[in-house]
Amino acid sequence: MHLAYPAVLAALLFCVGLYGVLARRNAILVLMSVELMLNAVNLNLVAFDVWLRDTLHSGQALTLFTIAIAAAEIGIGLAIVLAVYRNRGTSDIDRLRDTAETDEAEKLPDTAETDPADADTDADADAGGTEPTPGRVDGKTGKTKKAEATT
């Protein structure tokens, strides 16, 4: 058997996998495309091992290690994808990237905008005036809410 047949098949498999990684938006399909690329490499390893008539069969041994690593990769990858899907509600890669960018933008403190009522209270406290009314901090906004008087 000629070396060209498995080499061409491996090149086609690798190209299909590369197209899947670059063009797909679903994370599970991207993982499947990575598996196609790894299988193309495995096919090349075995084909060159047979063609070179290696007595140690190092190409086939390396293929077994690659298969074991691919199995671990797909298990961990699917666990991550499922965890992200449960948290975000989608496995679309573009939406996940957009969500991550907007989340970080929301976390950054905005120092340009201040509440005038808070500035007056802070200025009185710094100038040695009356202390601000004790209250509790709102968990979402981080601003102090004034304690309400109960009757």
Side-chain angles (χ1 to χ4, degrees):
M1 178 168 81
H2 295 288
L3 184 62
Y5 298 131
V8 168
L9 179 62
L12 288 174
L13 275 175
F14 193 85
C15 289
V16 168
L18 186 64
Y19 173 75
V21 167
L22 296 176
R24 296 294 177 186
R25 302 293 179 233
N26 190 347
I28 295 175
L29 292 178
V30 169
L31 286 174
M32 289 174 60
S33 298
V34 169
E35 290 296 319
L36 270 178
M37 293 168 65
L38 286 172
N39 286 331
V41 170
N42 288 340
L43 182 61
N44 268 336
L45 285 171
V46 171
F48 277 99
D49 183 54
V50 170
W51 184 65
L52 293 173
R53 293 186 176 96
D54 186 15
T55 57
L56 295 176
H57 300 291
S58 56
Q60 294 177 20
L62 189 57
T63 299
L64 287 175
F65 284 116
T66 307
I67 290 172
I69 290 171
E73 174 257 335
I74 199 70
I76 292 171
L78 280 175
I80 291 171
V81 168
L82 287 175
V84 167
Y85 182 77
R86 286 180 183 166
N87 288 336
R88 306 282 180 156
T90 184
S91 63
D92 187 11
I93 295 172
D94 287 337
R95 287 186 182 173
L96 294 176
R97 187 179 316 131
D98 293 341
T99 304
E101 290 172 358
T102 57
D103 284 347
E104 289 187 16
E106 290 174 359
K107 289 180 184 177
L108 294 175
D110 191 15
T111 57
E113 297 180 20
T114 57
D115 190 11
D118 290 341
D120 291 339
T121 306
D122 293 339
D124 289 341
D126 291 340
T130 60
E131 291 187 17
T133 307
R136 61 182 178 88
V137 176
D138 185 15
K140 292 182 180 178
T141 61
K143 294 183 179 180
T144 304
K145 290 185 175 181
K146 294 183 178 179
E148 296 178 8
T150 58
T151 55

